[in-house]
Every structure is written in C-alpha cells, then in structure tokens.
Amino acid sequence: MAINADNYCFACGVENPIGLHLKFEVAQDKVVAKKILPSEFQGYEKVLHGGIIATMLDESMCRFIQEKFNEPAMTARLEIRYHAPTPIGQEIKISAWQESQRRNIIGLKSTVELSDGTITAEATAKFAVVNSK
C-alpha cells in the first residue's frame, strides 16, 4: 500500500496513527489550529515536550506558506523562545503569519497560546519557497 507523504506528515497527516493531526484554518492573515494534546506528548509531568512545541510552530509557518503561495517551502532557519510551560490536556492555539519577504525567502512568526491569552512559546523563521513550476 502506497502512503501519500502529505497525509502521513507527523504534524498534520490524517493517516499517521501517532501524529499530532493538526488542522489549520485561515483566519484573516494567519493560519490557526487549536489542539488539546494528551500525556503521550509530555516532557516533564503535565507539560508538553519542547520538541513537540517546536514541531507545531514550524508546521504552522510552513502551512501558512502553502496556503498563501500554494508552493512547497523548507525551513531555512528557526528560532524558538519558550516563555512558560505549555500544559498537557488544555486547549492551545497555534498561529502563524508572514512578517517579510525577499525574493523566495519568507520571514514568518508563530506562537503557542493558552485560552487565557498567555503566549507560552514563539518562533521566528525564514523559509525558502521551492518553486515547483
């Protein structure tokens, strides 16, 4: 059985049985996903693992480019700041938006936010748009 790589993505693939299954929506000039993650994704007790947070931030920015430019993109540089622990079992919002563009290099920002508005992590990144035409 052949697996569609897009549907098997760890972050957003619906066919990946151990994935995050993130579902993004376009909201104004952002992409947004809301998610409650179980203890299988924890680092310290009751705290979401930092690598999972990094994956969600990166994926949200990549998804933004796919939605806006309809082109594949690759992360060229990623910087993350963790401000507070992100709790397991509570709804979080992952958002991403564009901040700059220079030719095929897109600058983006993304955040992980709790329902009370607390930003627990944020990322800035440069993505290289890979022209498939």
mmCIF file of all heavy atoms in Angstrom, residues 71-112:
data_model
loop_
_atom_site.group_PDB
_atom_site.id
_atom_site.type_symbol
_atom_site.label_atom_id
_atom_site.label_comp_id
_atom_site.label_asym_id
_atom_site.label_seq_id
_atom_site.Cartn_x
_atom_site.Cartn_y
_atom_site.Cartn_z
ATOM 1 N N GLU A 71 2.800 26.836 -2.767
ATOM 2 C CA GLU A 71 4.101 26.284 -3.146
ATOM 3 C C GLU A 71 4.698 25.555 -1.941
ATOM 4 O O GLU A 71 4.468 25.948 -0.801
ATOM 5 C CB GLU A 71 5.073 27.391 -3.557
ATOM 6 C CG GLU A 71 4.709 28.123 -4.822
ATOM 7 C CD GLU A 71 5.023 27.350 -6.093
ATOM 8 O OE1 GLU A 71 5.676 26.287 -6.007
ATOM 9 O OE2 GLU A 71 4.595 27.786 -7.156
ATOM 10 N N PRO A 72 5.482 24.530 -2.180
ATOM 11 C CA PRO A 72 6.190 23.898 -1.072
ATOM 12 C C PRO A 72 7.298 24.812 -0.545
ATOM 13 O O PRO A 72 7.830 25.632 -1.292
ATOM 14 C CB PRO A 72 6.767 22.623 -1.694
ATOM 15 C CG PRO A 72 6.789 22.866 -3.155
ATOM 16 C CD PRO A 72 5.712 23.863 -3.458
ATOM 17 N N ALA A 73 7.613 24.683 0.720
ATOM 18 C CA ALA A 73 8.660 25.504 1.342
ATOM 19 C C ALA A 73 9.431 24.665 2.342
ATOM 20 O O ALA A 73 8.906 23.700 2.897
ATOM 21 C CB ALA A 73 8.040 26.706 2.040
ATOM 22 N N MET A 74 10.669 25.061 2.564
ATOM 23 C CA MET A 74 11.523 24.360 3.520
ATOM 24 C C MET A 74 12.044 25.349 4.552
ATOM 25 O O MET A 74 12.363 26.491 4.215
ATOM 26 C CB MET A 74 12.694 23.713 2.800
ATOM 27 C CG MET A 74 12.260 22.743 1.730
ATOM 28 S SD MET A 74 13.672 21.939 1.011
ATOM 29 C CE MET A 74 13.267 20.276 1.453
ATOM 30 N N THR A 75 12.132 24.893 5.776
ATOM 31 C CA THR A 75 12.662 25.728 6.844
ATOM 32 C C THR A 75 14.149 25.949 6.611
ATOM 33 O O THR A 75 14.913 24.995 6.526
ATOM 34 C CB THR A 75 12.464 25.050 8.210
ATOM 35 O OG1 THR A 75 11.105 24.643 8.342
ATOM 36 C CG2 THR A 75 12.850 25.976 9.343
ATOM 37 N N ALA A 76 14.542 27.219 6.526
ATOM 38 C CA ALA A 76 15.959 27.551 6.368
ATOM 39 C C ALA A 76 16.576 27.938 7.711
ATOM 40 O O ALA A 76 17.747 27.672 7.966
ATOM 41 C CB ALA A 76 16.127 28.696 5.360
ATOM 42 N N ARG A 77 15.776 28.564 8.557
ATOM 43 C CA ARG A 77 16.252 28.989 9.882
ATOM 44 C C ARG A 77 15.056 29.053 10.813
ATOM 45 O O ARG A 77 14.000 29.549 10.441
ATOM 46 C CB ARG A 77 16.913 30.361 9.758
ATOM 47 C CG ARG A 77 17.458 30.880 11.049
ATOM 48 C CD ARG A 77 18.091 32.232 10.851
ATOM 49 N NE ARG A 77 18.907 32.535 11.998
ATOM 50 C CZ ARG A 77 19.852 33.430 12.000
ATOM 51 N NH1 ARG A 77 20.122 34.108 10.918
ATOM 52 N NH2 ARG A 77 20.529 33.660 13.093
ATOM 53 N N LEU A 78 15.245 28.560 12.036
ATOM 54 C CA LEU A 78 14.161 28.536 13.015
ATOM 55 C C LEU A 78 14.715 28.906 14.381
ATOM 56 O O LEU A 78 15.691 28.317 14.838
ATOM 57 C CB LEU A 78 13.539 27.129 13.074
ATOM 58 C CG LEU A 78 12.453 26.869 14.113
ATOM 59 C CD1 LEU A 78 11.225 27.720 13.834
ATOM 60 C CD2 LEU A 78 12.088 25.388 14.117
ATOM 61 N N GLU A 79 14.102 29.894 15.008
ATOM 62 C CA GLU A 79 14.498 30.307 16.361
ATOM 63 C C GLU A 79 13.259 30.298 17.248
ATOM 64 O O GLU A 79 12.228 30.876 16.893
ATOM 65 C CB GLU A 79 15.105 31.707 16.336
ATOM 66 C CG GLU A 79 15.606 32.158 17.688
ATOM 67 C CD GLU A 79 16.304 33.520 17.625
ATOM 68 O OE1 GLU A 79 17.003 33.783 16.636
ATOM 69 O OE2 GLU A 79 16.120 34.291 18.575
ATOM 70 N N ILE A 80 13.374 29.650 18.397
ATOM 71 C CA ILE A 80 12.236 29.489 19.301
ATOM 72 C C ILE A 80 12.565 30.065 20.660
ATOM 73 O O ILE A 80 13.662 29.880 21.176
ATOM 74 C CB ILE A 80 11.864 28.000 19.450
ATOM 75 C CG1 ILE A 80 11.517 27.420 18.089
ATOM 76 C CG2 ILE A 80 10.715 27.820 20.441
ATOM 77 C CD1 ILE A 80 11.368 25.925 18.089
ATOM 78 N N ARG A 81 11.584 30.748 21.236
ATOM 79 C CA ARG A 81 11.687 31.224 22.623
ATOM 80 C C ARG A 81 10.548 30.591 23.402
ATOM 81 O O ARG A 81 9.388 30.711 23.031
ATOM 82 C CB ARG A 81 11.562 32.751 22.685
ATOM 83 C CG ARG A 81 12.751 33.403 21.986
ATOM 84 C CD ARG A 81 13.154 34.729 22.537
ATOM 85 N NE ARG A 81 13.271 34.718 23.990
ATOM 86 C CZ ARG A 81 13.020 35.773 24.746
ATOM 87 N NH1 ARG A 81 12.651 36.914 24.209
ATOM 88 N NH2 ARG A 81 13.153 35.707 26.047
ATOM 89 N N TYR A 82 10.915 29.926 24.478
ATOM 90 C CA TYR A 82 9.928 29.322 25.373
ATOM 91 C C TYR A 82 9.748 30.274 26.552
ATOM 92 O O TYR A 82 10.695 30.570 27.257
ATOM 93 C CB TYR A 82 10.420 27.953 25.855
ATOM 94 C CG TYR A 82 10.589 26.957 24.725
ATOM 95 C CD1 TYR A 82 11.807 26.792 24.094
ATOM 96 C CD2 TYR A 82 9.507 26.189 24.296
ATOM 97 C CE1 TYR A 82 11.966 25.878 23.060
ATOM 98 C CE2 TYR A 82 9.654 25.270 23.263
ATOM 99 C CZ TYR A 82 10.885 25.130 22.649
ATOM 100 O OH TYR A 82 11.036 24.222 21.624
ATOM 101 N N HIS A 83 8.519 30.741 26.741
ATOM 102 C CA HIS A 83 8.245 31.725 27.797
ATOM 103 C C HIS A 83 7.685 31.100 29.069
ATOM 104 O O HIS A 83 7.908 31.616 30.165
ATOM 105 C CB HIS A 83 7.258 32.781 27.291
ATOM 106 C CG HIS A 83 7.768 33.557 26.123
ATOM 107 N ND1 HIS A 83 8.792 34.470 26.210
ATOM 108 C CD2 HIS A 83 7.403 33.538 24.814
ATOM 109 C CE1 HIS A 83 9.023 35.005 25.022
ATOM 110 N NE2 HIS A 83 8.208 34.448 24.156
ATOM 111 N N ALA A 84 6.923 30.031 28.917
ATOM 112 C CA ALA A 84 6.269 29.388 30.062
ATOM 113 C C ALA A 84 5.947 27.948 29.687
ATOM 114 O O ALA A 84 5.849 27.630 28.496
ATOM 115 C CB ALA A 84 4.976 30.143 30.414
ATOM 116 N N PRO A 85 5.770 27.086 30.670
ATOM 117 C CA PRO A 85 5.380 25.708 30.350
ATOM 118 C C PRO A 85 4.029 25.678 29.626
ATOM 119 O O PRO A 85 3.127 26.461 29.942
ATOM 120 C CB PRO A 85 5.259 25.039 31.721
ATOM 121 C CG PRO A 85 6.091 25.888 32.634
ATOM 122 C CD PRO A 85 5.968 27.286 32.109
ATOM 123 N N THR A 86 3.914 24.788 28.662
ATOM 124 C CA THR A 86 2.648 24.587 27.954
ATOM 125 C C THR A 86 2.007 23.334 28.536
ATOM 126 O O THR A 86 2.564 22.241 28.434
ATOM 127 C CB THR A 86 2.895 24.409 26.442
ATOM 128 O OG1 THR A 86 3.580 25.562 25.943
ATOM 129 C CG2 THR A 86 1.582 24.248 25.695
ATOM 130 N N PRO A 87 0.850 23.485 29.177
ATOM 131 C CA PRO A 87 0.252 22.341 29.876
ATOM 132 C C PRO A 87 -0.341 21.291 28.933
ATOM 133 O O PRO A 87 -0.850 21.615 27.863
ATOM 134 C CB PRO A 87 -0.842 22.982 30.728
ATOM 135 C CG PRO A 87 -1.133 24.289 30.088
ATOM 136 C CD PRO A 87 0.097 24.711 29.356
ATOM 137 N N ILE A 88 -0.263 20.061 29.361
ATOM 138 C CA ILE A 88 -0.922 18.934 28.693
ATOM 139 C C ILE A 88 -2.403 18.972 29.063
ATOM 140 O O ILE A 88 -2.767 19.365 30.173
ATOM 141 C CB ILE A 88 -0.287 17.606 29.194
ATOM 142 C CG1 ILE A 88 1.113 17.438 28.613
ATOM 143 C CG2 ILE A 88 -1.155 16.406 28.893
ATOM 144 C CD1 ILE A 88 1.161 17.122 27.143
ATOM 145 N N GLY A 89 -3.269 18.570 28.129
ATOM 146 C CA GLY A 89 -4.692 18.424 28.431
ATOM 147 C C GLY A 89 -5.485 19.712 28.425
ATOM 148 O O GLY A 89 -6.650 19.694 28.811
ATOM 149 N N GLN A 90 -4.883 20.810 28.006
ATOM 150 C CA GLN A 90 -5.598 22.083 27.887
ATOM 151 C C GLN A 90 -5.544 22.545 26.440
ATOM 152 O O GLN A 90 -4.558 22.303 25.742
ATOM 153 C CB GLN A 90 -4.976 23.157 28.767
ATOM 154 C CG GLN A 90 -5.140 22.925 30.246
ATOM 155 C CD GLN A 90 -4.587 24.086 31.052
ATOM 156 O OE1 GLN A 90 -4.544 25.218 30.602
ATOM 157 N NE2 GLN A 90 -4.144 23.799 32.263
ATOM 158 N N GLU A 91 -6.596 23.225 25.986
ATOM 159 C CA GLU A 91 -6.604 23.706 24.606
ATOM 160 C C GLU A 91 -5.528 24.772 24.408
ATOM 161 O O GLU A 91 -5.378 25.675 25.235
ATOM 162 C CB GLU A 91 -7.964 24.290 24.225
ATOM 163 C CG GLU A 91 -8.005 24.693 22.760
ATOM 164 C CD GLU A 91 -9.362 25.176 22.326
ATOM 165 O OE1 GLU A 91 -9.674 26.355 22.605
ATOM 166 O OE2 GLU A 91 -10.097 24.377 21.706
ATOM 167 N N ILE A 92 -4.784 24.611 23.318
ATOM 168 C CA ILE A 92 -3.802 25.611 22.911
ATOM 169 C C ILE A 92 -4.140 26.057 21.496
ATOM 170 O O ILE A 92 -4.792 25.325 20.740
ATOM 171 C CB ILE A 92 -2.352 25.084 22.974
ATOM 172 C CG1 ILE A 92 -2.192 23.816 22.136
ATOM 173 C CG2 ILE A 92 -1.926 24.846 24.414
ATOM 174 C CD1 ILE A 92 -0.764 23.312 22.027
ATOM 175 N N LYS A 93 -3.694 27.251 21.161
ATOM 176 C CA LYS A 93 -3.886 27.790 19.819
ATOM 177 C C LYS A 93 -2.514 28.028 19.209
ATOM 178 O O LYS A 93 -1.676 28.692 19.815
ATOM 179 C CB LYS A 93 -4.691 29.088 19.862
ATOM 180 C CG LYS A 93 -4.908 29.702 18.484
ATOM 181 C CD LYS A 93 -5.904 30.859 18.515
ATOM 182 C CE LYS A 93 -5.266 32.096 19.064
ATOM 183 N NZ LYS A 93 -6.121 33.293 18.925
ATOM 184 N N ILE A 94 -2.298 27.485 18.028
ATOM 185 C CA ILE A 94 -1.054 27.672 17.302
ATOM 186 C C ILE A 94 -1.373 28.574 16.116
ATOM 187 O O ILE A 94 -2.261 28.254 15.316
ATOM 188 C CB ILE A 94 -0.473 26.323 16.800
ATOM 189 C CG1 ILE A 94 -0.330 25.327 17.953
ATOM 190 C CG2 ILE A 94 0.861 26.538 16.102
ATOM 191 C CD1 ILE A 94 -1.442 24.337 18.051
ATOM 192 N N SER A 95 -0.677 29.706 16.010
ATOM 193 C CA SER A 95 -0.933 30.677 14.942
ATOM 194 C C SER A 95 0.360 31.003 14.219
ATOM 195 O O SER A 95 1.435 30.997 14.826
ATOM 196 C CB SER A 95 -1.494 31.984 15.521
ATOM 197 O OG SER A 95 -2.642 31.757 16.283
ATOM 198 N N ALA A 96 0.249 31.343 12.931
ATOM 199 C CA ALA A 96 1.419 31.760 12.161
ATOM 200 C C ALA A 96 1.018 32.833 11.162
ATOM 201 O O ALA A 96 -0.108 32.834 10.648
ATOM 202 C CB ALA A 96 2.026 30.576 11.425
ATOM 203 N N TRP A 97 1.961 33.747 10.893
ATOM 204 C CA TRP A 97 1.728 34.821 9.936
ATOM 205 C C TRP A 97 3.055 35.283 9.339
ATOM 206 O O TRP A 97 4.116 35.037 9.889
ATOM 207 C CB TRP A 97 0.997 35.984 10.593
ATOM 208 C CG TRP A 97 1.739 36.591 11.749
ATOM 209 C CD1 TRP A 97 2.584 37.665 11.717
ATOM 210 C CD2 TRP A 97 1.718 36.161 13.117
ATOM 211 N NE1 TRP A 97 3.082 37.932 12.975
ATOM 212 C CE2 TRP A 97 2.562 37.016 13.849
ATOM 213 C CE3 TRP A 97 1.055 35.124 13.782
ATOM 214 C CZ2 TRP A 97 2.769 36.859 15.214
ATOM 215 C CZ3 TRP A 97 1.271 34.987 15.133
ATOM 216 C CH2 TRP A 97 2.113 35.844 15.838
ATOM 217 N N GLN A 98 2.927 35.964 8.213
ATOM 218 C CA GLN A 98 4.105 36.445 7.495
ATOM 219 C C GLN A 98 4.543 37.798 8.039
ATOM 220 O O GLN A 98 3.725 38.666 8.318
ATOM 221 C CB GLN A 98 3.781 36.583 6.003
ATOM 222 C CG GLN A 98 4.947 37.023 5.154
ATOM 223 C CD GLN A 98 4.599 37.072 3.679
ATOM 224 O OE1 GLN A 98 3.640 36.448 3.240
ATOM 225 N NE2 GLN A 98 5.366 37.820 2.910
ATOM 226 N N GLU A 99 5.865 37.974 8.139
ATOM 227 C CA GLU A 99 6.416 39.249 8.566
ATOM 228 C C GLU A 99 7.231 39.936 7.473
ATOM 229 O O GLU A 99 7.361 41.143 7.484
ATOM 230 C CB GLU A 99 7.272 39.067 9.820
ATOM 231 C CG GLU A 99 6.438 38.677 11.033
ATOM 232 C CD GLU A 99 7.131 38.997 12.323
ATOM 233 O OE1 GLU A 99 8.306 38.628 12.490
ATOM 234 O OE2 GLU A 99 6.483 39.629 13.178
ATOM 235 N N SER A 100 7.813 39.161 6.544
ATOM 236 C CA SER A 100 8.638 39.770 5.499
ATOM 237 C C SER A 100 8.767 38.819 4.311
ATOM 238 O O SER A 100 8.403 37.652 4.395
ATOM 239 C CB SER A 100 10.032 40.099 6.038
ATOM 240 O OG SER A 100 10.720 38.909 6.383
ATOM 241 N N GLN A 101 9.279 39.371 3.210
ATOM 242 C CA GLN A 101 9.586 38.553 2.046
ATOM 243 C C GLN A 101 10.686 39.228 1.240
ATOM 244 O O GLN A 101 10.640 40.441 1.005
ATOM 245 C CB GLN A 101 8.372 38.343 1.154
ATOM 246 C CG GLN A 101 8.683 37.488 -0.058
ATOM 247 C CD GLN A 101 7.461 37.173 -0.893
ATOM 248 O OE1 GLN A 101 6.348 37.571 -0.564
ATOM 249 N NE2 GLN A 101 7.663 36.446 -1.973
ATOM 250 N N ARG A 102 11.664 38.430 0.864
ATOM 251 C CA ARG A 102 12.724 38.892 -0.024
ATOM 252 C C ARG A 102 12.966 37.788 -1.042
ATOM 253 O O ARG A 102 13.514 36.742 -0.685
ATOM 254 C CB ARG A 102 13.992 39.205 0.758
ATOM 255 C CG ARG A 102 15.069 39.816 -0.098
ATOM 256 C CD ARG A 102 16.211 40.299 0.749
ATOM 257 N NE ARG A 102 17.227 40.874 -0.112
ATOM 258 C CZ ARG A 102 18.489 40.969 0.198
ATOM 259 N NH1 ARG A 102 18.906 40.549 1.378
ATOM 260 N NH2 ARG A 102 19.338 41.481 -0.637
ATOM 261 N N ARG A 103 12.506 38.018 -2.242
ATOM 262 C CA ARG A 103 12.508 37.005 -3.300
ATOM 263 C C ARG A 103 11.793 35.760 -2.811
ATOM 264 O O ARG A 103 10.628 35.830 -2.428
ATOM 265 C CB ARG A 103 13.916 36.750 -3.812
ATOM 266 C CG ARG A 103 14.482 37.935 -4.577
ATOM 267 C CD ARG A 103 15.810 37.599 -5.178
ATOM 268 N NE ARG A 103 16.848 37.602 -4.152
ATOM 269 C CZ ARG A 103 17.909 38.382 -4.166
ATOM 270 N NH1 ARG A 103 18.088 39.208 -5.161
ATOM 271 N NH2 ARG A 103 18.792 38.327 -3.199
ATOM 272 N N ASN A 104 12.480 34.627 -2.795
ATOM 273 C CA ASN A 104 11.812 33.392 -2.378
ATOM 274 C C ASN A 104 12.033 33.062 -0.893
ATOM 275 O O ASN A 104 11.706 31.979 -0.442
ATOM 276 C CB ASN A 104 12.278 32.208 -3.241
ATOM 277 C CG ASN A 104 13.705 31.799 -2.939
ATOM 278 O OD1 ASN A 104 14.566 32.648 -2.710
ATOM 279 N ND2 ASN A 104 13.965 30.506 -2.952
ATOM 280 N N ILE A 105 12.564 34.004 -0.127
ATOM 281 C CA ILE A 105 12.764 33.803 1.314
ATOM 282 C C ILE A 105 11.662 34.551 2.068
ATOM 283 O O ILE A 105 11.544 35.775 1.961
ATOM 284 C CB ILE A 105 14.153 34.288 1.781
ATOM 285 C CG1 ILE A 105 15.266 33.594 0.990
ATOM 286 C CG2 ILE A 105 14.316 34.091 3.283
ATOM 287 C CD1 ILE A 105 15.317 32.085 1.170
ATOM 288 N N ILE A 106 10.887 33.794 2.833
ATOM 289 C CA ILE A 106 9.747 34.351 3.564
ATOM 290 C C ILE A 106 10.069 34.336 5.052
ATOM 291 O O ILE A 106 10.469 33.314 5.599
ATOM 292 C CB ILE A 106 8.466 33.511 3.337
ATOM 293 C CG1 ILE A 106 8.249 33.227 1.853
ATOM 294 C CG2 ILE A 106 7.258 34.182 3.976
ATOM 295 C CD1 ILE A 106 7.963 34.420 1.011
ATOM 296 N N GLY A 107 9.894 35.493 5.708
ATOM 297 C CA GLY A 107 10.049 35.597 7.153
ATOM 298 C C GLY A 107 8.694 35.450 7.818
ATOM 299 O O GLY A 107 7.735 36.112 7.430
ATOM 300 N N LEU A 108 8.616 34.578 8.822
ATOM 301 C CA LEU A 108 7.354 34.312 9.500
ATOM 302 C C LEU A 108 7.520 34.324 11.006
ATOM 303 O O LEU A 108 8.632 34.239 11.519
ATOM 304 C CB LEU A 108 6.801 32.943 9.076
ATOM 305 C CG LEU A 108 6.447 32.846 7.607
ATOM 306 C CD1 LEU A 108 7.386 31.913 6.920
ATOM 307 C CD2 LEU A 108 5.026 32.408 7.438
ATOM 308 N N LYS A 109 6.388 34.402 11.680
ATOM 309 C CA LYS A 109 6.348 34.308 13.138
ATOM 310 C C LYS A 109 5.195 33.378 13.503
ATOM 311 O O LYS A 109 4.172 33.340 12.808
ATOM 312 C CB LYS A 109 6.146 35.679 13.780
ATOM 313 C CG LYS A 109 6.241 35.633 15.291
ATOM 314 C CD LYS A 109 6.377 37.003 15.901
ATOM 315 C CE LYS A 109 6.590 36.864 17.403
ATOM 316 N NZ LYS A 109 6.875 38.139 18.028
ATOM 317 N N SER A 110 5.362 32.645 14.591
ATOM 318 C CA SER A 110 4.291 31.780 15.088
ATOM 319 C C SER A 110 4.298 31.766 16.605
ATOM 320 O O SER A 110 5.323 32.058 17.237
ATOM 321 C CB SER A 110 4.429 30.359 14.536
ATOM 322 O OG SER A 110 5.643 29.786 14.922
ATOM 323 N N THR A 111 3.146 31.451 17.182
ATOM 324 C CA THR A 111 3.003 31.415 18.635
ATOM 325 C C THR A 111 2.177 30.210 19.070
ATOM 326 O O THR A 111 1.360 29.694 18.314
ATOM 327 C CB THR A 111 2.308 32.690 19.176
ATOM 328 O OG1 THR A 111 1.019 32.818 18.556
ATOM 329 C CG2 THR A 111 3.138 33.934 18.926
ATOM 330 N N VAL A 112 2.402 29.816 20.320
ATOM 331 C CA VAL A 112 1.531 28.870 21.027
ATOM 332 C C VAL A 112 0.907 29.668 22.159
ATOM 333 O O VAL A 112 1.621 30.297 22.952
ATOM 334 C CB VAL A 112 2.316 27.659 21.574
ATOM 335 C CG1 VAL A 112 1.417 26.804 22.452
ATOM 336 C CG2 VAL A 112 2.907 26.841 20.441
#
